[in-house]
Amino acid sequence: MTHRLTSAAHGALATLVGVAAGHLVAGLTEPAASPVLVVGSTVIDLTPTPLKEWAIAQFGTHDKTVLVGSVMVGVIALAGVAGLLARRRFGYGAALLLALVAIPAGAALTRAGAAPTDVLPSIVAGLAGVAALAWLTRRRAAGAAADDTTAPSRRGVLVAAGTLGLAAVAMGGAGRWLASYRSRTVSVDLPAAADPAPPFPRGLDDRVPGVSPFRTPTGDFYRVDTRLTLPIVDLDGWSLTIDGDVEREVTFSFEDLVAMPLVERDITLTCVSNEVGGGYIGAARWLGVRLTDLLDRAGIDGTRADQLLSTDVDGMTISTPLALATDGRDAMIAIGMNGRSLTREHGFPARMVVPGLYGFVSACKWITRITLTTYADQEAYWTRRDWATDAPVKISSRIDTPRPLSTVDAGRTVIGGVAWAQHQGGVERVEVRIDGGPWQEARLGPSAGNDYWRQWYLPWTAEPGRHALAVRATDGEGDVQTAVRTTPFPAGSSGVQEVVVNVR
Ligand SMILES: Nc1nc2c(c(=O)[nH]1)N[C@H]1C(S)=C(S)[C@@H](COP(=O)(O)O)O[C@H]1N2
Ligand SMILES: [Mo]
């Protein structure tokens, strides 16, 4: 029994060494091609939409950690089997390890934007894994031949295992460090906007503790994308091409964009996967080139296109309705966020921003191509997964304070939060309902335009006991946030948030 366990452990250890060696090579070449990560990404792409939504709801922003963890557990289980096989006959175990490696190798070569060299980390993982397994097996055989129970041989096996374990940790750590070092944010100097945003009003930030800051600091801005690693984009090699059904294909370098008249706008970005009351929303000041200025260079007057199909540096695609993107709203290719160039997390060097549309149909990060096409001809990533193509942000509101299920002291306190109705005349009114009573009008913070969220608060004299607080917003067109609940799929959640708090 213990022998079996040892064999399985050796298989697992050898595989960890392989995975770590692959991670190190990926850190030097293409981080996204790291064996575990590339399998994880493939799982993300293949997961049916309902299951993906369930995972996001269950694990929130930890969904990717859970995913990578599950892949690792699966790999180690199979690796244990390889260890057991190797005990019978080394060739069997080695063959299983190599077969295992075929999975990331295939995934790396078939992922969007793959280069032939992306198979390297998997090859190295396979070779390192088999070599480690051979070493452990040989050590063990030597020990067994001497005498199963003699201390020195057993110590020899333990030393070998310990050495390999340390090597795995060192290689894995080095790969991780390399990937994050190479994708670190380097700020680029950007010129001032030719068309600046109005002065940013002072929000309720310090007057109503607990309310979301009026402008979300870039480091706190939510991040949603299908990636497990950040792309490493080299500014000199980067360009943005507009092609498809246009008069002439045009390509812009980063310098070309910077040399064009820049606009600056305050825009709130929302993810379609945001549940009512959720955190997948952020508000920032964006700097960029008007999308229509770029489209005019390509000439789209006679186009038959109804879709802008954006492609990122790795081949990920995002669709945007052409009519909405060019209807006069401040759609732009942004190169700056909150006074700096974009961070890697948020799309460096350039991304699309279209006020009023959920991010998955507007906000392509790491953008490198915009193709004018039709929905009938070409389907973007989420269109293939049955999400809506025309997805305006739904009017919604959130209670930031008091926190759900928190305990607050009785007496004078304040209920506060944010509300948004991007591009629908902004937020006109916010109302709060306490314990099912009448809707009471809350006080609004300042406005930074109709494409930006609004802070709100309502003073409250809290009586001891349990209380249910609800909030709803009304937009500038008079539309009231509906209480009818819908799921994020396929066009965004709706409903009214209700939180329960204890007052003592
Ligand atoms: N290339 C790329 N762009 C992308 C995505 C993605 O997965 N890949 N996700 C989109 C989604 S669903 C949203 S909500 C926004 C989020 O932008 P943020 O991460 O800067 O907040 O980016 C959009 N742009
Ligand atoms: Mo999203």
Side-chain angles (χ1 to χ4, degrees):
M1 185 60 204
T2 48
H3 288 284
R4 290 240 178 93
L5 264 181
T6 315
S7 304
H10 284 175
L13 181 58
T15 304
L16 275 180
V17 169
V19 165
H23 201 58
L24 175 57
V25 173
L28 291 164
T29 56
E30 170 51 67
S34 170
V36 175
L37 299 184
V38 80
V39 171
S41 299
T42 309
V43 172
I44 292 181
D45 292 349
L46 295 179
T47 305
T49 298
L51 186 57
K52 213 183 290 188
E53 284 305 289
W54 176 84
I56 291 174
Q58 291 300 305
F59 309 119
T61 43
H62 299 299
D63 55 345
K64 288 173 181 173
T65 316
V66 172
L67 169 73
V68 172
S70 315
V71 171
M72 272 313 283
V73 168
V75 166
I76 288 177
L78 284 169
V81 175
L84 287 174
L85 284 175
R87 197 171 121 84
R88 287 247 175 93
R89 184 182 264 198
F90 178 74
Y92 292 165
L96 179 55
L97 279 193
L98 290 178
L100 258 180
V101 158
I103 301 172
L109 286 178
T110 50
R111 74 187 183 100
T117 48
D118 288 354
V119 75
L120 270 177
S122 299
I123 292 178
V124 170
L127 295 178
V130 169
L133 188 63
W135 196 44
L136 284 168
T137 311
R138 188 143 17 87
R139 277 272 150 159
R140 200 147 168 249
D147 175 359
D148 225 16
T149 53
T150 51
S153 64
R154 210 185 255 183
R155 203 185 304 140
V157 178
L158 276 181
V159 168
T163 310
L164 285 179
L166 282 178
V169 170
M171 289 189 294
R176 205 190 157 115
W177 182 83
L178 275 167
S180 67
Y181 177 77
R182 291 177 61 209
S183 64
R184 76 198 180 284
T185 290
V186 193
S187 194
V188 180
D189 285 336
L190 299 175
D195 181 352
F200 193 70
R202 189 162 153 246
L204 301 177
D205 301 31
D206 32 48
R207 277 179 289 156
V208 185
V211 167
S212 296
F214 197 30
R215 183 188 287 167
T216 314
T218 305
D220 297 339
F221 206 95
Y222 82 96
R223 175 182 165 204
V224 169
D225 51 65
T226 58
R227 306 188 59 98
L228 294 172
T229 56
L230 289 172
I232 297 164
V233 185
D234 161 36
L235 207 52
D236 295 327
W238 178 86
S239 64
L240 173 64
T241 297
I242 302 182
D243 63 5
D245 192 10
V246 292
E247 278 157 37
R248 66 202 84 83
E249 185 177 313
V250 282
T251 295
F252 303 88
S253 67
F254 192 74
E255 280 97 84
D256 293 338
L257 293 186
V258 169
M260 291 177 73
L262 299 179
V263 295
E264 183 186 53
R265 292 293 182 267
D266 295 314
I267 297 169
T268 297
L269 201 67
T270 317
C271 180
V272 68
S273 295
N274 195 37
E275 301 277 355
V276 173
Y280 290 155
I281 177 162
R285 173 161 285 197
W286 305 92
L287 178 74
V289 181
R290 267 185 199 291
L291 183 62
T292 43
D293 285 354
L294 297 170
L295 294 176
D296 285 348
R297 297 274 187 99
I300 60 160
D301 281 348
T303 189
R304 291 183 323 276
D306 57 10
Q307 170 183 218
L308 294 172
L309 188 73
S310 303
T311 307
D312 83 358
V313 292
D314 275 334
M316 160 83 189
T317 51
I318 288 198
S319 70
T320 307
L322 175 63
L324 296 184
T326 53
D327 69 358
R329 67 183 78 200
D330 288 316
M332 63 167 101
I333 296 300
I335 54 175
M337 178 181 186
N338 291 340
R340 314 285 296 267
S341 51
L342 294 179
T343 59
R344 302 269 181 188
E345 286 82 358
H346 298 293
F348 179 85
R351 72 174 308 168
M352 195 183 285
V353 172
V354 183
L357 296 180
Y358 285 117
F360 82 113
V361 287
S362 66
C364 186
K365 303 191 273 189
W366 315 291
I367 194 169
T368 184
R369 187 175 297 276
I370 302 174
T371 305
L372 280 98
T373 180
T374 64
Y375 286 104
D377 279 349
Q378 272 176 287
E379 287 192 315
Y381 183 90
W382 278 297
T383 313
R384 279 198 293 274
R385 287 160 180 79
D386 299 328
W387 287 82
T389 50
D390 188 349
V393 178
K394 292 181 184 171
I395 175 173
S396 198
S397 51
R398 181 176 79 196
I399 298 174
D400 292 331
T401 183
R403 309 290 309 157
L405 301 177
S406 63
T407 302
V408 297
D409 290 333
R412 287 172 69 85
T413 179
V414 65
I415 307 166
V418 284
W420 55 95
Q422 292 98 308
H423 215 71
Q424 299 157 60
V427 172
E428 186 70 29
R429 185 163 61 237
V430 171
E431 294 161 294
V432 176
R433 191 183 58 198
I434 303 169
D435 297 327
W439 286 104
Q440 305 178 44
E441 191 155 345
R443 300 180 196 174
L444 294 181
S447 166
N450 288 348
D451 296 332
Y452 207 72
W453 67 9
R454 203 92 184 243
Q455 298 166 309
W456 59 266
Y457 71 100
L458 181 75
W460 178 38
T461 307
E463 309 272 346
R466 251 168 102 84
H467 298 285
L469 314 173
V471 64
R472 71 174 186 194
T474 302
D475 70 17
E477 289 154 17
D479 287 330
V480 184
Q481 178 182 341
T482 175
V484 176
R485 289 204 155 257
T486 57
T487 57
F489 180 80
S493 65
S494 71
V496 161
Q497 186 195 11
E498 189 157 52
V499 306
V500 172
V501 294
N502 292 303
V503 177
R504 59 139 196 253

